Amino acid sequence: MQRYNILWADDEIDLLKPYIMFLTNKGYDITGVNSGSDALEKCEEENFDVIFLDENMPGMSGIETLAQIKQLKPNIPIIMITKSEEENIMEEAIGAKIDDYLIKPINPNQVLLAVKKILDKKRIVSEKTNHSYQQDFQKISMAFFDDMDHNDWVDIYKKLVYWDLEINETENKSMMEVLDMQKTEANVNFFKFIKDNYERWLNNPDDQDRPMLSHEMVREKVLPELQVDDDPVFFIIVDNLRYDQWKMIEPIIADYYTVEEEIPYFSILPTTTAYARNAIFSGMMPSEMAKRHSDIWLNDDEEGGKNNHEDEFLERQLKRYGQNLKMSYNKIIHVNQGKHVIENIHNLLNNKLNVLVYNFVDMLSHARTDTVMIRELAPDEPAYRSLTYSWFSHSPLLDTLKILAEKKIKVILSTDHGTVRSKRPYKIIGDRNTNTNLRYKQGKNLSFDKKNVLVAQDPERFFLPKVNVSSSYVFASEDYFFAYPNNYNHYVKYYKDTFQHGGISLEEMIIPFIKLKAK
């Protein structure tokens, strides 16, 4: 077992011999000094794993010593020991970045626990996390044999995300391989669940045993908020935001908001911006959009941007429900557009509804596919989440949320679909008019192995536009991505381990809907 070195500075260090002997017997090596200046000298000469500082030493006080040690060696954990419970002393010590503090009189066990909390925390947390996941592993695996509904799948996915984030924080990550296998097993079973139920959900809208879908979000969740009072509502869509990415940025948001409601909802198929996000803003499934909004809807085989008319879709939906209200729509792709929203906040508050669409996460996933440097920065899911966290921490979106929190403005935060790390190629053959998406294909005379894919042979049953008489849709499951036989090896090498969307997986389909209340 590793032995740790502790420096203890106290002007009555001789009286602390019982404590020092106690810690020595527990496996710690203690160096005692009786002044702040001696503590500084020892820090220059030797390396220590933790330092105990008495706050009330003659000459250089504990607070002064703390400040100088932090300048000399900023990463050494420091525990302040004080007789005083005065608030200003505590604030000064906390402001100087102490790691813990103890109030006299202290006992040996208090000291031991303080040391363990700092020095053995990672090991203890790792052991506890791994043990707890091992206990939950069996429960999750057994659930796959049950007749689960959509709520059960949401619970399973939440658990998997929770353990993913927890295990990633542990020191040795020894259970990550087991968790990855369980996530794969979960996606195999989730695909079967979607294959068995998705078509029924769409064709039985009065069925209570189904989740909220993309096209129902505004009607079921946004409109009721508009009718509560006269206060403005901000409806924010962060494109391509997975549930695990939301859980990463939630602690930042928690400084300014309480989460009033969190409902992971289900994206429609295909899980892409052109379909899922347009469904949110139009309140319709894609085949309905193609029929009723033919002037602004574009099919896969038509030239032009597929999401250039979201504001028009939303205006038409609001009018359909008798909501003739003042609204704004802003799509933020560049930082300057985000800053413009902040500069214009005062004017936006005059609107009943303000819609903000942030495209950064979607751009990140595409950049990771196309740019070697971004692939290096985000080689896997934890790194991908980390990039999202870093972006959000310094984004105009966070600045906007801070301002809205100060003004006590209602905020609804959601997304249109998630994304999955595509690892396994799946051969498919289509003509030149077949769409290019890697997770779903739409076209005629498609040739493929029917295993591990969902085939919408009759697109109308899936409320999808039927571009040609023989058109069908094919959706990839789990972590598969479609690849053409031509130039197959180059294609596979280029797209393997990239984050894609459009198909069927927990990561793409079960996504966050959040209602935030300012603190």
Side-chain angles (χ1 to χ4, degrees):
M1 182 178 174
Q2 180 181 352
R3 290 187 71 90
Y4 293 106
N5 294 322
I6 298 174
L7 174 64
W8 196 328
D10 192 304
D11 60 313
E12 297 178 331
I13 195 69
D14 291 339
L15 301 178
L16 297 174
K17 285 184 179 178
Y19 296 85
I20 291 173
M21 289 177 62
F22 176 77
L23 290 174
T24 301
N25 291 334
K26 291 292 183 179
Y28 300 96
D29 295 324
I30 315 298
T31 299
V33 294
N34 57 18
S35 70
S37 57
D38 288 345
L40 272 173
E41 191 176 322
K42 282 291 182 184
C43 281
E44 290 175 345
E45 295 171 356
E46 300 178 41
N47 291 318
F48 295 97
D49 297 295
V50 68
I51 297 173
F52 282 102
L53 274 183
D54 182 37
E55 180 266 323
N56 190 27
M57 291 184 288
M60 186 184 293
S61 71
I63 297 291
E64 292 169 327
T65 307
L66 167 65
Q68 293 201 36
I69 290 176
K70 282 294 184 182
Q71 287 182 24
L72 183 67
K73 294 185 176 179
N75 297 318
I76 297 180
I78 297 177
I79 300 172
M80 183 72 73
I81 300 176
T82 178
K83 289 180 180 177
S84 173
E85 295 185 51
E86 290 183 23
E87 187 177 351
N88 67 311
I89 292 176
M90 288 297 99
E91 285 188 356
E92 197 171 349
I94 292 168
K97 298 183 179 179
I98 59 166
D99 295 271
D100 202 352
Y101 66 87
L102 299 174
I103 297 175
K104 295 180 180 180
I106 56 174
N107 63 58
N109 280 323
Q110 275 181 295
V111 176
L112 178 63
L113 287 173
V115 171
K116 276 187 167 292
K117 188 162 67 173
I118 290 174
L119 297 181
D120 290 341
K121 180 180 177 181
K122 288 183 179 179
R123 177 186 61 79
I124 294 168
V125 168
S126 291
E127 291 175 359
K128 177 63 177 174
T129 299
N130 290 337
H131 178 68
S132 298
Y133 171 61
Q134 287 170 5
Q135 291 180 314
D136 217 15
F137 171 86
Q138 192 67 26
K139 294 177 186 176
I140 295 171
S141 293
M142 291 303 294
F144 299 147
F145 295 99
D146 296 336
D147 184 20
M148 295 199 295
D149 64 15
H150 66 277
N151 289 314
D152 296 324
W153 273 110
V154 166
D155 290 342
I156 287 290
Y157 185 45
K158 280 184 170 182
K159 284 184 179 180
L160 292 172
V161 167
Y162 171 80
W163 288 119
D164 195 357
L165 298 178
E166 289 293 305
I167 292 172
N168 188 60
E169 290 298 312
T170 61
E171 202 165 22
N172 56 25
K173 299 177 177 56
S174 60
M175 294 302 294
M176 189 57 81
E177 187 175 345
V178 176
L179 177 63
D180 285 341
M181 288 190 293
Q182 188 161 59
K183 287 193 291 185
T184 298
E185 183 186 8
N187 263 322
V188 169
N189 286 282
F190 180 71
F191 171 69
K192 294 175 184 175
F193 171 73
I194 293 297
K195 198 171 184 178
D196 291 342
N197 292 281
Y198 183 74
E199 188 178 342
R200 173 180 63 81
W201 292 345
L202 300 182
N203 290 278
N204 295 278
D206 296 327
D207 187 350
Q208 298 299 309
D209 184 24
R210 68 183 191 89
M212 181 176 77
L213 299 171
S214 308
H215 64 297
E216 298 164 327
M217 183 196 296
V218 170
R219 186 189 71 214
E220 292 189 11
K221 292 297 179 181
V222 179
L223 287 181
E225 290 303 314
L226 297 174
Q227 295 161 1
V228 171
D229 50 43
D230 294 329
D231 294 337
V233 174
F234 275 70
F235 179 33
I236 300 174
I237 295 288
V238 181
D239 188 20
N240 217 7
L241 185 73
R242 293 176 10 159
Y243 184 72
D244 59 338
Q245 291 171 307
W246 152 247
K247 298 310 285 185
M248 282 289 288
I249 67 174
E250 183 182 9
I252 306 175
I253 292 176
D255 286 338
Y256 311 96
Y257 295 88
T258 55
V259 174
E260 200 168 36
E261 184 176 24
E262 178 185 291
I263 306 175
Y265 80 98
F266 281 57
S267 168
I268 64 163
L269 297 174
T271 47
T272 63
T273 301
Y275 289 88
R277 197 158 86 201
N278 280 334
I280 290 172
F281 289 124
S282 69
M284 295 179 177
M285 289 294 290
S287 61
E288 297 174 291
M289 284 184 266
K291 291 175 184 175
R292 298 180 63 175
H293 300 303
S294 58
D295 57 327
I296 54 177
W297 168 265
L298 292 177
N299 287 317
D300 282 335
D301 62 341
E302 295 178 294
E303 293 293 326
K306 302 296 190 291
N307 61 329
N308 289 339
H309 302 284
E310 294 162 357
D311 53 342
E312 295 174 74
F313 276 130
L314 180 58
E315 286 175 2
R316 295 180 186 187
Q317 179 178 188
L318 292 174
K319 286 179 181 177
R320 201 163 69 244
Y321 292 113
Q323 298 294 314
N324 295 309
L325 47 83
K326 192 177 179 184
M327 62 159 279
S328 72
Y329 169 91
N330 286 276
K331 184 182 291 186
I332 295 91
I333 299 174
H334 307 296
V335 170
N336 287 339
Q337 292 171 321
K339 290 180 178 177
H340 176 72
V341 168
I342 294 171
E343 292 165 0
N344 198 38
I345 280 279
H346 182 73
N347 292 326
L348 296 180
L349 295 177
N350 294 320
N351 300 321
K352 179 60 182 172
L353 175 64
N354 296 285
V355 178
L356 305 178
V357 176
Y358 284 82
N359 266 28
F360 176 83
V361 180
D362 183 60
M363 290 167 63
L364 175 62
S365 68
H366 290 299
R368 191 189 174 282
T369 300
D370 299 330
T371 309
V372 173
M373 184 183 72
I374 301 296
R375 282 202 193 202
E376 293 293 326
L377 286 173
D380 53 24
E381 282 87 347
Y384 187 54
R385 289 193 295 261
S386 180
L387 277 184
T388 306
Y389 180 92
S390 180
W391 160 73
F392 182 76
S393 301
H394 306 282
S395 70
L397 173 54
L398 178 56
D399 293 334
T400 300
L401 288 170
K402 289 178 183 178
I403 294 169
L404 296 178
E406 288 175 4
K407 297 181 179 299
K408 307 296 182 186
I409 302 298
K410 296 179 189 176
V411 174
I412 293 169
L413 178 69
S414 193
T415 188
D416 46 6
H417 56 77
T419 185
V420 69
R421 186 176 167 200
S422 298
K423 300 176 183 176
R424 293 178 286 175
Y426 198 100
K427 286 186 179 180
I428 192 167
I429 299 173
D431 62 28
R432 63 179 184 176
N433 293 320
T434 304
N435 67 302
T436 58
N437 187 283
L438 300 185
R439 292 281 292 162
Y440 86 95
K441 293 296 178 185
Q442 184 271 125
K444 56 184 180 180
N445 304 320
L446 297 172
S447 177
F448 52 89
D449 182 350
K450 292 188 177 181
K451 185 181 179 183
N452 300 321
V453 294
L454 172 61
V455 183
Q457 201 66 52
D458 182 2
E460 291 170 345
R461 291 286 299 169
F462 287 76
F463 288 79
L464 295 170
K466 196 169 186 176
V467 179
N468 296 291
V469 176
S470 58
S471 285
S472 62
Y473 291 75
V474 184
F475 300 98
S477 68
E478 306 162 50
D479 57 7
Y480 288 102
F481 64 97
F482 290 123
Y484 294 116
N486 298 341
N487 209 8
Y488 181 78
N489 291 330
H490 170 76
Y491 196 83
V492 168
K493 183 179 179 181
Y494 186 79
Y495 286 108
K496 186 179 179 182
D497 279 327
T498 62
F499 288 90
Q500 304 293 335
H501 51 85
I504 300 169
S505 66
L506 290 161
E507 293 88 345
E508 291 163 287
M509 288 192 74
I510 301 182
I511 47 179
F513 173 90
I514 314 295
K515 195 159 69 175
L516 299 172
K517 184 178 181 181
K519 288 185 174 178

